[in-house]
Amino acid sequence: MDPAAVSPTAASIGLRQLLMVLGDSLVEVQAAPAGLDVEIRGVSLLDPEDPPTAQPGELVLVIGARGRAAFPALRAAGRDGAAAVVVKLDGPGQAAALSETAAEAGVALLSLRSEARWEQVNALARAALDDAPPGGPGMGAEEGDLFSLAQTTAILTSGIVSIEDAANRVLAYSRTTDSDEADDLRRRSILGWQGPEGYLAKLREWGVFQHLHSSDEVIGIDSHPELGIRRRLAVAIRSGDRQLGTIWVQEGSVPLSERSRQALLGAARVAALHLVRRRRELSDDVTLTRTLLAGLLDGSTGPQPLATHLGFDAGRPAAVLGFSYGTTEAYGTTEGYEIPEGAAAPELTHSEVTNLVSVHIAARHRSALVTQVDPRIYVLLPQLPRGVDTDTLRGWAQEITDAARRHLGLPLRGSVGCLVPGLGDVFESRREADRILDAMVSAGVTVAVAALPDIQAEVLVSEILTLLSAHPEIRDPRLTALVSHDSRHQGRLAETLLTYLNSFGDIRAAAAQLHVHPNTLRYRLRRAEQLTGLDLSRPDQRLLAMLQLRLPPTG
């Protein structure tokens, strides 16, 4: 496991709080030999082909090793001081053996639901760590199921909690042990899943909504016995300047705790994570991000809109990685991966491949943005830190193509665009990534990932061939006629001539490659010269023939 895959944060979160973030619909605790108060200080991805290692305090996601195959990871995690390990089980019978091993190793064991995705738990855990205050676990990391969050907030405030969206619709609420504790507003809100209009009008009159819209501070609302309303506290749930909802705490049969306001502030920050994720698929912010990113990549939009929208430093180095997959773009012979003859491309959805790319690149660079422009996937790497160079980016792309091969059975190709000084030059990096992918496909490059220095000759030849293909007027008609002759007579004169030229004029080497006698090859060469009038003793004619004969027959 590469240490760089660990979430680079100084904050920590308690295992108990993380479980609330993930929720029992995602993970289940199988063993916790040190209790649920152990601190988690990072997240790492452990591939089955990686050596089983961990860092102190890590949450280790054991990807691809189900059931008993996870034993080495568990033992290594305990040895290295990891906080917890997450695995998938093949069946219910494996839980006991894995739990026993975890107890012996002294590390917590969580099982991921079979239908859950690794990228989901990875993203949630990292989001919780990013939101946690530095220095130790606390309320700032308690997210996840909104009902669990409401119940925890109720315990911390000694009150009765409800969480509403920006339209005052109730999303979640805490349980009450005494039905007399809830006032009329509480009962009507829960039963109707929305605050009563009469009381909402009063809140508007008192300036409560105006305060919530413009401030992060907790506001208090006095009791109104004549309205059947008890004392309340409220705080806005915000994402930047945008209000996503509100948390309300009603005083019950006992006074609210002294630290209620502090607890509410933390709960609001946690609830924001949940609501942002809930709205992510349809949110205007995400749609805008995709639009601005697409414009930046194709050069139609400048850097400032995206930089302003996401808070990026447009003047820091950036780069683009490109990936291609599918029958046309990615199939072929790649190093260490062979497709059986006649095999069809795996039927993978766009989201599966994009999710895999997103998860792995997020472990390396938290500001990375991933988008798909059919049939390719692009990764924008903005504000790159010092020390990141082409070799580093090549390694990141290689990890992704290796993971696609292992986990999806997909021969993904990857390209590394040039490092550019800022977002304003990102189009150049994307263009270079495309040039590389184009050449990898057309030239049959046998590596899964390449940067321009790796295959510069192939890229330039590929672009020359594209030019020849698009402009028949700059082709030699004699070579065109030779290809047509072969097509009409099922001949191999053009193939023989190209093989001879590629072999530096070595008759025996070319004959061996074509599986013919050297005299047969000499005869074919003379025949080609007779039919076309070519003079193979002239270097310029040999050079043009080497290029033009590489065009597809339809060209």
Side-chain angles (χ1 to χ4, degrees):
M1 176 169 42
D2 195 315
V6 180
S7 179
T9 176
S12 64
I13 181 175
L15 179 58
R16 187 189 311 277
Q17 283 72 40
L18 181 65
L19 291 172
M20 294 183 66
V21 171
L22 301 179
D24 56 10
S25 62
L26 193 60
V27 297
E28 184 177 354
V29 179
Q30 299 294 340
L36 297 180
D37 294 323
V38 295
E39 291 187 26
I40 294 171
R41 298 192 290 274
V43 183
S44 65
L45 308 174
L46 180 62
D47 191 275
E49 294 190 9
D50 291 339
T53 60
Q55 298 293 322
E58 280 185 351
L59 175 72
V60 182
L61 310 182
V62 184
I63 299 176
R66 288 177 174 263
R68 294 181 179 275
F71 281 163
L74 274 172
R75 297 188 182 102
R79 176 198 66 210
D80 296 337
V85 174
V86 185
V87 302
K88 280 193 175 183
L89 304 178
D90 276 333
Q94 296 179 344
L98 284 166
S99 297
E100 182 179 348
T101 301
E104 293 173 355
V107 65
L109 172 65
L110 312 180
S111 59
L112 186 65
R113 304 288 185 183
S114 59
E115 66 276 13
R117 294 184 179 277
W118 283 109
E119 58 264 24
Q120 186 178 8
V121 66
N122 178 50
L124 287 174
R126 290 180 186 278
L129 269 171
D130 288 343
D131 196 59
M139 185 62 199
E142 297 177 4
E143 204 274 336
D145 180 74
L146 281 180
F147 281 89
S148 297
L149 176 61
Q151 191 63 29
T152 300
T153 308
I155 293 171
L156 294 174
T157 60
S158 301
I160 305 170
V161 175
S162 62
I163 301 175
E164 298 179 358
D165 66 9
N168 304 115
R169 292 183 293 259
V170 177
L171 301 175
Y173 52 87
S174 62
R175 299 182 298 274
T176 55
T177 57
D178 183 352
S179 60
D180 292 334
E181 287 188 342
D183 62 13
D184 184 60
L185 172 62
R186 161 79 175 190
R187 285 189 292 269
R188 293 174 63 185
S189 297
I190 298 304
L191 290 174
W193 289 90
Q194 190 168 14
E197 181 55 37
Y199 187 68
L200 296 179
K202 285 291 185 183
L203 294 178
R204 284 191 285 269
E205 178 184 332
W206 298 332
V208 173
F209 288 132
Q210 182 179 356
H211 173 92
L212 293 171
H213 182 71
S214 60
S215 174
D216 295 328
E217 297 299 319
V218 176
I219 185 174
I221 302 102
D222 293 334
S223 64
H224 290 268
E226 73 282 5
L227 299 175
I229 304 302
R230 295 186 179 182
R231 179 191 172 211
R232 272 173 169 71
L233 297 178
V235 66
I237 303 169
R238 311 183 71 83
S239 176
D241 294 333
R242 185 177 183 181
Q243 184 181 355
L244 304 177
T246 310
I247 301 180
W248 302 85
V249 178
Q250 178 219 308
E251 193 173 71
S253 58
V254 298
L256 296 177
S257 68
E258 292 181 357
R259 300 178 66 84
S260 292
R261 290 176 178 267
Q262 181 180 353
L264 265 185
L265 287 173
R269 293 169 184 165
V270 171
L273 287 175
H274 186 94
L275 295 183
V276 166
R277 278 201 307 275
R278 174 179 289 192
R279 300 161 65 119
R280 186 165 293 162
E281 289 294 327
L282 302 175
S283 76
D284 293 339
D285 284 347
V286 171
T287 301
L288 177 59
T289 298
R290 289 172 179 166
T291 302
L292 295 176
L293 176 58
L296 186 64
L297 290 175
D298 66 21
S300 62
T301 303
Q304 207 54 51
L306 183 67
T308 301
H309 178 56
L310 298 178
F312 289 161
D313 183 348
R316 289 179 57 184
V320 173
L321 305 181
F323 296 93
S324 66
Y325 69 97
T327 306
T328 301
E329 285 250 321
Y331 267 62
T333 303
T334 55
E335 189 174 6
Y337 194 103
E338 293 185 0
I339 303 298
E341 185 176 353
E347 294 184 359
L348 296 169
T349 64
H350 293 334
S351 61
E352 285 179 295
V353 184
T354 303
N355 284 341
L356 181 141
V357 174
S358 299
V359 167
H360 280 268
I361 201 63
R364 292 301 190 180
H365 190 58
R366 68 172 61 199
S367 299
L369 296 175
V370 180
T371 190
Q372 178 156 352
V373 181
D374 288 336
R376 292 177 176 174
I377 295 171
Y378 297 97
V379 178
L380 171 63
L381 300 168
Q383 45 193 26
L384 286 168
R386 292 181 180 178
V388 171
D389 55 14
T390 298
D391 288 339
T392 304
L393 300 183
R394 188 190 291 107
W396 293 357
Q398 187 69 54
E399 291 173 0
I400 291 171
T401 59
D402 289 346
R405 180 189 308 167
R406 286 192 297 269
H407 302 308
L408 301 179
L410 180 71
L412 197 66
R413 293 182 186 269
S415 63
V416 180
C418 55
L419 281 160
V420 293
L423 288 182
D425 302 301
V426 158
F427 172 68
E428 293 300 320
S429 185
R430 183 263 174 101
R431 191 170 72 90
E432 183 167 297
D434 277 337
R435 293 174 65 199
I436 296 165
L437 287 176
D438 291 341
M440 292 175 79
V441 174
S442 62
V445 175
T446 59
V447 294
V449 175
L452 186 59
D454 303 326
I455 59 168
Q456 190 156 25
E458 289 86 346
V459 169
L460 296 176
V461 169
S462 174
E463 292 172 349
I464 292 172
L465 294 179
T466 299
L467 184 66
L468 281 173
S469 180
H471 295 277
E473 69 275 10
I474 62 174
R475 300 182 216 154
D476 189 330
R478 296 173 297 179
L479 295 168
T480 303
L482 182 63
V483 173
S484 298
H485 179 275
D486 279 350
S487 178
R488 292 194 305 270
H489 299 89
Q490 291 79 49
R492 299 180 64 188
L493 297 180
E495 177 191 9
T496 299
L497 176 54
L498 181 59
T499 303
Y500 166 75
L501 294 172
N502 287 341
S503 301
F504 299 99
D506 188 326
I507 293 288
R508 293 190 176 277
Q513 187 173 339
L514 293 170
H515 306 290
V516 298
H517 193 277
N519 288 338
T520 301
L521 188 136
R522 292 188 182 93
Y523 167 78
R524 290 180 181 176
L525 293 176
R526 288 195 301 271
R527 181 66 176 152
E529 286 183 304
Q530 292 168 359
L531 285 172
T532 62
L534 288 170
D535 183 357
L536 296 180
S537 66
R538 294 177 58 181
D540 53 348
Q541 293 194 20
R542 293 198 304 269
L543 175 61
L544 185 57
M546 286 187 71
L547 289 171
Q548 189 170 322
L549 292 178
R550 293 189 183 198
L551 292 174
T554 55

